[in-house]
């Protein structure tokens, strides 16, 4: 009997691991993205990943637990970050737009405005570096002011770079890595790089979803999708080249499965077989009906009923008993249309 039958499990779910480490779920997810907490696959998809018990024990044994771990994943907004660095909020925003401060996450406020979040540890390190002192005080250099006047804003791009690094660390095969790169490109760009529709279908199956921000189809979800998609030309070209390289590596694996028979040359058509009738059928037209259809025939049917056009033709019934002449033998009972056709007809004078 294995030792784990009555002992603690070797792995635990992400929610339970967050509680045992004293972290909120957002802090735990950020720690996983930054590589502070290692996870292992627990099934299909990233949502089924788990944390080993040995990893939890390692983190709990560190000095200053849990405060030290919480400080490593602490995030702040613009106002808190500016106060932490000792600069005005406007200067902090300008430094972030220039790409000198990289956000690690974002959320939407009640006005659907993007609120970028930054690592508190990284902000302290930036403020303590002597080379950055000229950026924290005094006049902004002319080259940086020209970029700001041109509308430069690299916050979303820097966040996409961090997000891509996290997805690549979690990928375990070339197709998953290709899907991580394709997640930051527009569908038209992906279709231009990956021409085979079956390869695109396989790529879509491993495509990671954007961060959950609001219900699917909501304005918040559309905004998150737009932040997830590359906008700059040089960024798009770089992602296209990375996707091309990843697809070439993925093609070394077994090819994408094509549906059987799709695209094959059409074979010889089989000859049609006659259908066995379920009941007796009339294979020839009754003579009275044929004579009615011929020119000069008996006008027994209306023009709209001739030759099968119009309402269905009713079969004439045999003479009734009251119509028989005295001394005439009663006629035989006809069995349907076939019996009526077999009756002897009187010769015409």
């Amino acid at each position: 009997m294995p030792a784990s039958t009555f002992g603690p499990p070797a792995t635990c779910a992400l929610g339970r691991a967050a509680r045992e480490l004293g972290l909120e779920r957002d802090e735990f997810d950020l720690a996983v993205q930054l590589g502070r907490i290692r996870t292992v696959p627990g099934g299909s998809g990233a949502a089924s990943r788990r944390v080993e018990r040995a990893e939890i024990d390692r983190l709990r044994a560190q000095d200053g637990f849990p405060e030290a771990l919480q400080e490593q994943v602490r995030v702040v907004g613009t106002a808190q970050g500016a106060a932490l660095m000792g600069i005005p909020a406007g200067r902090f925003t300008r430094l972030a737009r220039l790409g000198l401060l990289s956000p690690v996450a974002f959320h939407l406020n009640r006005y659907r405005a993007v609120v970028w979040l930054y690592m508190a540890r990284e902000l302290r390190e930036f403020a303590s570096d002597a080379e950055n002192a000229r950026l924290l005080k005094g006049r902004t250099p002319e080259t940086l002011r020209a970029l700001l006047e041109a509308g430069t804003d690299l916050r979303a791009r820097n966040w996409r770079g961090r997000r891509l690094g996290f997805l690549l660390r979690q990928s375990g095969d070339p197709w998953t890595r290709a899907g991580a790169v394709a997640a930051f490109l527009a569908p038209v760009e992906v279709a231009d790089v990956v021409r085979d529709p079956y390869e695109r279908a396989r790529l879509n199956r491993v495509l990671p979803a954007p961060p959950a921000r609001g219900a699917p189809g909501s304005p918040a979800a559309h905004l998150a999708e737009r932040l997830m998609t590359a906008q700059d030309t040089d960024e798009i070209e770089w992602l296209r080249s990375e996707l091309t390289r990843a697809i070439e590596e993925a093609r070394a694996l077994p090819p994408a499965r094509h549906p059987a028979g799709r695209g094959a040359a059409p074979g010889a058509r089989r000859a049609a077989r006659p259908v066995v009738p379920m009941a007796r059928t009339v294979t020839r037209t009754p003579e009275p009906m044929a004579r009615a259809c011929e020119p000069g025939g008996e006008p027994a049917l209306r023009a709209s009923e001739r030759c099968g056009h119009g309402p269905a033709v009713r079969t004439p019934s045999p003479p009734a008993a009251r119509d028989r002449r005295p001394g005439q033998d009663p006629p035989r009972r006809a069995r349907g249309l076939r019996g009526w056709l077999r009756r002897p007809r009187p010769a015409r004078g």
Side-chain angles (χ1 to χ4, degrees):
M1 182 178 297
S4 61
T5 302
F6 300 100
T11 62
C12 61
L14 302 183
R16 180 175 178 179
R19 291 192 299 268
E20 293 190 12
L21 295 175
L23 299 175
E24 299 291 338
R25 187 54 191 266
D26 293 342
E27 295 176 343
F28 179 85
D29 294 340
L30 181 58
V32 172
Q33 294 181 20
L34 297 176
R36 301 289 188 270
I37 302 176
R38 294 189 295 266
T39 60
V40 295
S44 59
S48 60
R49 299 186 69 87
R50 301 177 66 87
V51 181
E52 293 181 343
R53 176 60 56 179
E55 178 68 9
I56 296 178
D57 296 339
R58 181 186 69 84
L59 295 172
R60 294 175 63 92
Q62 293 180 352
D63 297 337
F65 178 84
E67 290 78 8
L69 181 60
Q70 294 173 354
E71 186 62 26
Q72 290 180 2
V73 295
R74 180 190 170 197
V75 294
V76 294
T78 300
Q80 296 176 337
L84 186 63
M85 299 176 64
I87 59 176
R91 183 180 289 267
F92 183 93
T93 302
R94 290 192 295 270
L95 294 177
R97 289 179 56 188
L98 292 170
L100 301 175
L101 304 176
S102 300
V104 71
F106 72 92
H107 67 84
L108 305 179
N109 59 13
R110 58 180 179 177
Y111 304 106
R112 295 175 185 170
V114 181
V115 179
W116 295 104
L117 301 177
Y118 306 84
M119 298 293 301
R121 177 178 54 82
E122 295 179 357
L123 298 181
R124 286 194 297 266
E125 293 176 358
F126 185 89
S128 61
D129 193 348
E131 297 181 357
N132 300 327
R134 62 187 181 88
L135 299 174
L136 303 178
K137 296 180 180 180
R139 187 177 178 84
T140 305
E142 186 65 27
T143 55
L144 299 181
R145 287 203 307 269
L147 293 176
L148 292 173
E149 293 175 358
T152 301
D153 192 350
L154 301 178
R155 289 175 292 183
R157 180 170 179 172
N158 288 339
W159 172 79
R160 286 192 294 268
R162 282 194 158 183
R163 179 75 178 175
L164 176 59
F166 161 67
L167 295 176
L168 292 177
R169 285 194 298 270
Q170 294 292 329
S171 60
D173 59 88
W175 280 110
T176 308
R177 288 193 292 271
V181 179
F184 297 90
L185 286 171
V188 64
E189 300 289 346
V190 177
D192 190 35
V193 176
V194 186
R195 300 296 182 88
D196 191 345
Y198 305 107
E199 290 182 347
R200 288 200 304 272
R202 184 170 183 177
L203 196 64
N204 290 332
R205 287 195 297 267
V206 297
L207 201 66
R213 303 295 176 185
S218 62
H222 287 304
L223 180 58
E225 185 179 356
R226 183 168 59 86
L227 293 175
M228 190 83 173
T229 306
Q231 304 293 334
D232 300 332
T233 304
D234 56 340
E235 182 185 8
I236 294 175
E237 292 299 329
W238 179 77
L239 289 173
R240 285 171 58 95
S241 62
E242 290 295 319
L243 179 60
T244 302
R245 184 177 59 84
I247 287 295
E248 291 177 355
E249 294 178 359
R251 284 171 180 160
L253 299 176
R257 185 172 55 185
H258 290 57
R262 180 69 61 87
R269 178 175 297 181
R270 294 184 298 177
R273 296 186 302 172
V275 179
V276 180
M278 301 298 296
R280 292 184 177 181
T281 58
V282 178
T283 58
R284 64 186 180 92
T285 306
E287 293 184 5
M289 297 172 61
R291 288 197 302 270
C293 294
E294 294 178 357
E298 299 177 359
L301 303 176
R302 295 192 302 269
S304 60
E305 298 178 356
R306 295 175 183 173
C307 300
H309 301 287
V313 178
R314 293 188 296 272
T315 304
S317 58
R322 63 176 182 271
D323 297 335
R324 295 198 303 267
R325 297 178 181 178
Q328 185 179 2
D329 295 333
R332 294 182 301 173
R333 184 178 300 275
R335 294 184 178 181
L337 182 60
R338 231 177 240 283
W340 185 84
L341 294 175
R342 292 174 181 173
R343 291 177 52 196
R345 292 187 300 274
R348 290 187 176 182

